[in-house]
């Protein structure tokens, strides 16, 4: 290859899950019938017309208002918001909770059946004195008590079957910037029916004591703030606020992001509007401030504000009504973020798409992150490709990563976030979507976790699996893939081809002879790691959890890396052969080639290649290099954060297909061109009820139902300091992005039923040799 210039777990636990699967598969005959939207994979028309702008080039603030915080005499917590309900207990809301919402007297109320209801909120500034106000319709409760951080603010009496605004005050209570917890406690009458809710709650406000009477306070909720306002006979969908009030939206803006908004005043009188953008550690600086008039003098005042200065990190975008007459509201019409210079970019069309997934890679040993060494062909491919240094896998289960690639879904959506599951039968793979668009597809796998027993064989024109038990080279899947692709390229029909190969990569057993292994460092190695039995030996070490014998010695690690490099060198040569097949068919210029890892090896002192590893960065950061059809961006390294769903979207777009609505991914070609998402997007990895969310240098980790931890990895790589209680901007921003990523997007509004894998004897033997079972 140039030749071209363009060019926590352990094995005992694994055994337990496998035994459970074998037993469960004989008892469970029912399969999930999860419904999915009809596929939207439609062949693009070859009209020659320019492609439409990327959806990510426009961010409607009103459409994402639930990500923002409303401030009006302190934080306003609207109970109708799904994001608000995620503040309660750090769990993911489901559609079942929507049934508890009722419309009453112009508002939307949450029915409260529990005696206690708590919400977390964050303050950007210190606060002296606390006043809690809430709009409540009493049902079974006769009193409500309000606590902040465990301290009683006050108790108020509730009038049965009446809607009222309750207000309690603790004038001497002081709150520091950061996270606080509000607790509402209801006391009900013993005479009322037990199945009757305690109360219905529309909103809660936590602020400083003021002279304003409680009954006159009207909290701005998203339901009341979003209004179609017509000024100068020009209607605009708007955010309206009575001063003093503000919405504060967390953003990680792209350097070319621009806010466009039209300011106005709705009603009689005048008002003052302000737009601010600031980082968490900066004082609030007004970017723009305008006086607006209502009545017969009303007019739209267009503004354009660049967010380039805050593009290096997390910031807040604040739209504030500083002053308004009592008979009117300040209006922010059609607020939207756009690019300063829109660019119509999209991945060029491809006749051939090849995706090579390599198991068990250490990115630091793969070009371009390391010198090519013996990986000559991979090195040449890296020179012709774009390396995505910000790529992060969506789970630490290898098959779960492959499932996300082939479906475009997150692990919680396709349910494959543990190695004993299988892809649900109702989930459509790329194989089917590409065939519906007129293409041909094939998958060849030498990794047991993506065998047919786990549901990866569905929809392909050709599917083959190669067990490590058989006496076959580790390059067999790549070579068979090259043969299939050669046949497709020789065919008279010009249907696009998708080839997916899951190769062993650096994972044991390693394809090296005893003579080859004998020459590897360190000299006179006396450890137990053997090329053919390496997976079994590592599984045995993982089973010795807590034992001193569990750790690998320094010599063991040296030998392990040498075995990985030796085995990968042979696969690198097969990738070079695959490229030659494409070149000889004169299809290289029309080829999209992706080389990526599934899950990383893991660092010492943990035993590597854990089949159910923890959600640590040493498991989630794997290589991703993409060679685009037009050969652009060769040798570039892109730091922008990208996900597996982005690979799925890019593959489909290159084949002329429109990704279905469930594929939440961006075009990697656009990222390679240097265009970041307008407001930033967190990369969320999940494993069961655990999650790990990264946004820039911020890292949020936790378990659903418990308070997470937050750290800034640029200044605290070991994440020793937990900033979740102190950081008023990053903590809620990352948590709410986590919720949006983990909550199901399907019509049912709840996670689909998980399907267990059915393990046949051959697959069991392959998993044993692979090291997934002791």
């Amino acid at each position: 290859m140039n030749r071209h210039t363009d060019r926590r777990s352990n094995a005992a636990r694994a055994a337990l899950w496998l035994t459970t699967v074998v037993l469960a598969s004989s008892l469970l005959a029912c399969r999930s019938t999860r419904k999915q939207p009809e596929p939207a994979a439609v062949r693009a028309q070859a009209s020659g017309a320019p492609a439409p702008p990327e959806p990510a080039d426009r961010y409607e603030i009103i459409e994402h208002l639930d990500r923002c915080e409303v401030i009006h005499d302190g934080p306003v917590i609207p109970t109708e918001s799904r994001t608000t309900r995620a503040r309660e207990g750090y769990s993911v809301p489901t559609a079942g909770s929507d049934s508890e919402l009722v419309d009453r007297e112009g508002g939307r109320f949450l029915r409260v059946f529990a005696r206690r209801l708590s919400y977390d909120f964050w303050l950007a500034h210190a606060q002296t004195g606390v006043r809690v106000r809430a709009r409540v319709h009493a049902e079974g409760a006769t009193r409500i008590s309000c606590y902040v951080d465990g301290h009683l603010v006050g108790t108020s009496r509730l009038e049965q079957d009446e809607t009222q605004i309750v207000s309690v005050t603790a004038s001497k209570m002081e709150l520091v910037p950061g996270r606080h917890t509000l607790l509402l406690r209801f006391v009900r009458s013993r005479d009322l029916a037990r199945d009757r809710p305690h109360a219905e709650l529309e909103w809660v406000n936590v602020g400083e004591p003021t002279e304003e009477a409680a009954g006159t306070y009207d909290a701005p909720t998203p339901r009341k703030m979003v209004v179609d306002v017509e000024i100068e006979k020009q209607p605009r969908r708007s955010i309206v606020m009575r001063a003093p009030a503000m919405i504060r939206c967390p953003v990680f803006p792209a350097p070319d992001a621009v806010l466009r908004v039209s300011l106005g005043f709705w009603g009689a009188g005048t008002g003052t509007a302000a737009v601010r953008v600031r980082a968490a550690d900066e004082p609030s600086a007004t970017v723009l401030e305008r006086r607006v008039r209502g009545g017969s003098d009303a007019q739209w005042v267009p503004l354009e504000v660049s967010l380039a200065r805050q593009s290096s990190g997390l910031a807040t975008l604040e739209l504030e009504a500083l002053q308004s007459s009592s008979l009117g509201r300040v209006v922010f019409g059609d607020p939207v973020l756009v690019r300063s210079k829109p660019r119509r970019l999209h991945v060029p069309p491809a006749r051939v798409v090849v995706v090579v997934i390599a198991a068990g890679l250490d990115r630091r040993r793969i070009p371009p992150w390391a010198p090519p060494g013996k990986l000559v062909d991979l090195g040449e491919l890296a020179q012709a490709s774009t390396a995505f240094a910000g790529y992060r896998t969506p789970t630490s289960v290898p098959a779960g990563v492959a499932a996300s690639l082939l479906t475009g879904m997150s692990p919680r959506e396709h349910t494959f976030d543990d190695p004993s599951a299988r892809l649900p039968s109702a989930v459509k793979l790329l194989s089917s979507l590409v065939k519906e668009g007129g293409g041909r597809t094939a998958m060849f796998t030498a990794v047991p976790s993506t065998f047919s027993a786990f549901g990866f064989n569905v929809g392909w024109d050709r599917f083959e699996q190669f067990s490590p038990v058989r006496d076959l080279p580790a390059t067999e899947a790549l070579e068979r893939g090259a043969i299939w692709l050669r046949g497709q390229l020789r065919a008279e029909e010009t249907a696009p081809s998708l080839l997916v190969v899951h190769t062993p990569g650096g994972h044991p057993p390693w394809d090296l002879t005893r003579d080859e292994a004998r020459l590897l460092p360190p000299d006179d190695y006396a450890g137990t790691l053997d090329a053919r039995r390496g997976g079994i030996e590592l599984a045995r070490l993982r089973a010795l959890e807590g034992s001193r014998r569990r750790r690998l010695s320094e010599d063991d690690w040296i030998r392990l890396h040498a075995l990985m490099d030796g085995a990968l060198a042979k696969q690198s040569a097969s990738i070079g052969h695959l490229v030659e097949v494409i070149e000889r068919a004169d299809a290289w210029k029309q080829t999209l080639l992706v080389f990526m890892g599934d899950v990383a090896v893991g660092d010492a002192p943990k035993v590597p290649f854990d089949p159910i590893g923890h959600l640590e960065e040493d498991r989630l950061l794997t290589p991703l290099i993409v060679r685009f059809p037009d050969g652009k961006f060769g040798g570039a390294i892109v730091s922008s954060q990208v996900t597996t769903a982005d690979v799925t979207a890019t593959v489909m777009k290159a084949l002329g297909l429109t990704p279905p609505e469930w594929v939440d991914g961006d075009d990697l070609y656009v990222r390679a061109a240097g265009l970041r998402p307008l407001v930033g997007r967190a990369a969320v990895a999940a494993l069961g009820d655990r999650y790990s969310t990264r946004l820039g240098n911020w890292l949020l980790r936790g378990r659903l139902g418990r308070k997470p931890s937050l750290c800034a990895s640029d200044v605290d790589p070991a994440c020793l300091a937990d900033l979740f209680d102190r950081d008023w901007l990053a903590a809620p921003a990352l948590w709410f992005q986590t919720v949006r990523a983990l909550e199901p997007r399907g019509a049912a509004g709840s996670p689909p039923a998980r399907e267990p894998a059915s393990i046949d004897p051959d697959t069991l033997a392959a998993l044993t040799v692979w090291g997934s079972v002791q």
Side-chain angles (χ1 to χ4, degrees):
M1 204 163 92
N2 205 58
R3 317 186 285 244
H4 38 271
T5 58
D6 163 53
R7 308 249 259 200
R8 120 220 116 325
S9 322
N10 51 51
R13 183 154 60 95
L16 177 60
W17 70 250
L18 192 56
T19 303
T20 303
V21 167
V22 175
L23 293 174
S25 61
S26 64
L27 297 174
L28 299 178
C30 298
R31 296 293 188 198
S32 170
T33 57
R34 178 195 182 194
K35 293 183 179 180
Q36 269 185 234
E38 290 299 316
V42 181
R43 293 294 299 175
Q45 298 297 319
S47 61
E54 288 293 312
D57 284 350
R58 186 177 182 87
Y59 182 87
E60 301 280 356
I61 293 177
I62 291 178
E63 296 297 327
H64 301 88
L65 202 56
D66 61 342
R67 301 186 183 187
C68 304
E69 185 178 13
V70 179
I71 309 294
H72 186 234
D73 291 340
V76 175
I77 304 173
T79 59
E80 68 175 296
S81 168
R82 293 171 66 85
T83 305
T84 294
R85 278 172 278 153
R87 298 171 183 257
E88 183 185 358
Y90 298 100
S91 58
V92 175
T94 63
S97 59
D98 286 344
S99 62
E100 305 301 321
L101 292 173
V102 294
D103 294 324
R104 180 185 295 278
E105 301 177 25
R108 203 159 197 212
F109 290 68
L110 175 71
R111 281 187 169 169
V112 181
F113 290 89
R115 289 186 59 192
R116 296 169 177 261
L117 186 65
S118 66
Y119 294 109
D120 277 6
F121 64 95
W122 284 260
L123 294 178
H125 306 285
Q127 181 172 306
T128 300
V130 176
R131 179 164 73 174
V132 179
R133 291 177 283 199
R135 191 176 187 215
V136 183
H137 181 84
E139 292 278 350
T142 57
R143 290 194 305 276
I144 179 173
S145 296
C146 304
Y147 300 79
V148 172
D149 299 335
H151 300 287
L152 178 66
V153 178
T155 299
S156 180
R157 181 178 178 81
L158 298 177
E159 300 296 333
Q160 295 300 301
D161 297 317
E162 289 188 11
T163 302
Q164 61 192 100
I165 296 178
V166 300
S167 178
V168 293
T169 302
S171 57
K172 295 183 179 181
M173 185 180 294
E174 294 187 357
L175 301 181
V176 299
R179 183 183 73 92
H180 300 276
T181 300
L182 168 70
L183 172 66
L184 305 178
R185 183 175 177 272
F186 296 93
V187 177
R188 69 180 294 127
S189 170
R190 296 181 180 180
D191 300 332
L192 297 176
R194 307 308 300 174
D195 59 348
R196 191 177 182 183
H198 293 296
E200 296 171 357
L201 183 68
E202 183 188 11
W203 51 258
V204 185
N205 166 246
V206 184
E208 293 181 296
T210 64
E211 297 298 327
E212 183 179 12
T216 63
Y217 180 78
D218 184 21
T221 63
R223 188 182 183 92
K224 299 174 184 176
M225 295 171 65
V226 178
V227 179
D228 290 331
V229 177
E230 183 175 312
I231 297 177
E232 298 180 299
K233 297 183 179 180
Q234 299 177 27
R236 302 196 192 287
R237 196 171 184 218
S238 306
I239 298 172
V240 301
M241 289 184 281
R242 178 172 64 89
M246 148 187 8
I247 66 164
R248 177 188 291 147
C249 307
V251 292
F252 197 135
D256 58 345
V258 171
L259 169 68
R260 289 178 183 166
V261 61
S262 295
L263 304 181
F265 195 79
W266 188 35
T270 62
T272 305
V275 176
R276 296 187 180 91
V277 187
R278 63 163 173 158
D281 56 351
E282 294 180 352
S284 181
T286 301
V287 176
L288 285 176
E289 184 176 315
R290 291 290 186 273
R291 186 80 171 171
V292 288
R293 294 182 178 277
S296 59
D297 296 328
Q299 60 181 346
W300 289 115
V301 180
L303 291 183
E304 187 169 292
V305 180
S306 171
L307 277 64
R309 183 172 172 269
Q310 285 76 22
S311 63
S312 60
L314 197 59
T316 63
L317 171 62
E318 300 172 356
L319 306 180
E320 183 172 7
L322 291 174
Q323 177 271 327
S324 63
S325 301
S326 59
L327 299 179
R329 301 288 188 271
V330 174
V331 179
F332 296 85
D334 289 335
V336 61
L337 292 176
V338 296
R339 298 194 184 278
S340 56
K341 295 180 180 179
R343 299 175 63 180
R344 297 178 181 270
L345 284 175
H346 55 92
V347 62
R351 178 186 174 191
V352 175
V353 173
V354 177
V355 181
V356 178
I357 314 169
L361 296 184
D362 185 338
R363 189 173 73 172
R364 296 164 296 190
R365 307 180 72 84
I366 303 295
W369 291 273
K374 295 181 179 180
L375 307 180
V376 177
D377 294 278
L378 266 179
E380 293 182 5
L381 177 62
Q383 290 179 358
S385 304
T386 304
F388 290 89
Y391 173 65
R392 192 172 186 258
T393 65
T395 183
S396 57
V397 176
V401 177
S404 289
L405 169 72
L406 297 177
T407 64
M409 298 177 175
S410 69
R412 283 179 65 88
E413 289 178 305
H414 58 61
T415 73
F416 207 144
D417 61 352
D418 73 83
S420 61
R422 60 170 283 129
L423 280 169
S425 54
V427 171
K428 276 201 171 183
L429 304 186
L430 267 180
S431 53
S432 299
L433 296 173
V434 173
K435 286 173 65 177
E436 289 174 1
R440 305 285 291 174
T441 64
M443 179 173 177
F444 300 86
T445 174
V447 178
S449 58
T450 53
F451 280 7
S452 58
F454 300 99
F456 285 90
N457 61 324
V458 177
W460 304 94
D461 291 313
R462 181 82 170 273
F463 179 89
E464 290 190 39
Q465 58 192 43
F466 308 96
S467 173
V469 176
R470 300 168 61 187
D471 190 18
L472 294 172
T475 58
E476 189 69 14
L478 284 163
E479 295 298 335
R480 294 287 187 92
I483 293 171
W484 178 85
L485 190 57
R486 184 187 296 117
Q488 297 302 307
L489 294 174
R490 287 177 177 174
E492 295 183 0
E493 57 184 59
T494 59
S497 302
L498 169 65
L499 170 63
V500 177
V501 181
H502 200 178
T503 184
H507 199 290
W510 296 286
D511 183 18
L512 295 170
T513 65
R514 288 187 177 181
D515 290 338
E516 290 172 328
R518 191 177 296 116
L519 299 176
L520 299 176
D523 296 333
D524 302 322
Y525 174 66
T528 60
L529 284 183
D530 174 79
R532 299 305 299 167
R533 292 184 55 83
I536 296 175
E537 175 61 19
L538 291 174
R540 185 188 68 81
L541 290 175
R542 276 194 298 273
L544 299 174
E545 187 169 7
S547 169
R548 293 182 180 178
R549 293 181 297 163
R550 181 174 180 261
R551 295 190 176 185
L552 297 178
S553 67
E554 182 177 350
D555 281 355
D556 288 331
W557 278 101
I558 295 173
R559 175 53 62 97
L560 182 143
H561 285 144
L563 289 165
M564 291 171 56
D565 293 344
L568 193 58
K570 297 182 178 181
Q571 296 167 63
S572 172
S574 288
I575 291 174
H577 176 232
L578 182 60
V579 173
E580 288 179 357
V581 168
I582 301 172
E583 288 182 319
R584 289 172 183 170
D586 197 25
W588 183 241
K589 291 184 179 180
Q590 298 173 287
T591 296
L592 173 73
L593 196 153
V594 178
F595 177 81
M596 59 190 296
D598 54 14
V599 171
V601 179
D603 291 341
K606 294 170 290 199
V607 178
F609 306 111
D610 192 333
I612 325 175
H614 295 290
L615 293 176
E616 302 291 344
E617 299 303 286
D618 64 337
R619 297 278 293 175
L620 301 175
L621 297 179
T622 65
L624 171 63
I625 59 176
V626 181
R627 189 271 176 188
F628 295 107
D630 62 0
K632 284 188 177 180
F633 314 119
I637 298 180
V638 178
S639 59
S640 179
Q641 198 163 269
V642 299
T643 68
T644 306
D646 297 331
V647 181
T648 310
T650 306
V651 166
M652 297 195 69
K653 291 179 180 180
L655 291 172
L657 305 173
T658 300
E661 60 182 15
W662 62 80
V663 179
D664 187 19
D666 292 335
D667 189 338
L668 290 175
Y669 192 84
V670 176
R671 298 289 160 261
L675 297 184
R676 283 184 5 206
L678 275 173
V679 297
R681 181 187 57 174
V684 181
L687 180 65
D689 61 352
R690 297 184 180 275
Y691 56 86
S692 174
T693 301
R694 177 173 286 279
L695 180 60
N697 293 319
W698 291 103
L699 184 62
L700 181 82
R701 296 179 293 185
R703 189 171 189 168
L704 292 178
R706 302 179 184 177
K707 181 172 74 73
S709 63
L710 174 74
C711 72
S713 60
D714 56 338
V715 297
D716 182 17
C719 286
L720 299 178
D722 184 4
L723 304 178
F724 190 78
D725 288 341
R726 289 184 283 164
D727 197 288
W728 61 269
L729 173 55
L734 267 74
W735 166 242
F736 294 140
Q737 285 223 31
T738 301
V739 170
R740 293 185 67 87
L742 295 183
E743 67 178 348
R745 287 177 290 158
S750 58
R754 171 187 173 278
E755 292 189 16
S758 179
I759 309 298
D760 57 272
D762 290 340
T763 302
L764 177 60
L767 290 168
T768 302
V769 173
W770 190 255
S772 294
V773 181
Q774 186 183 9

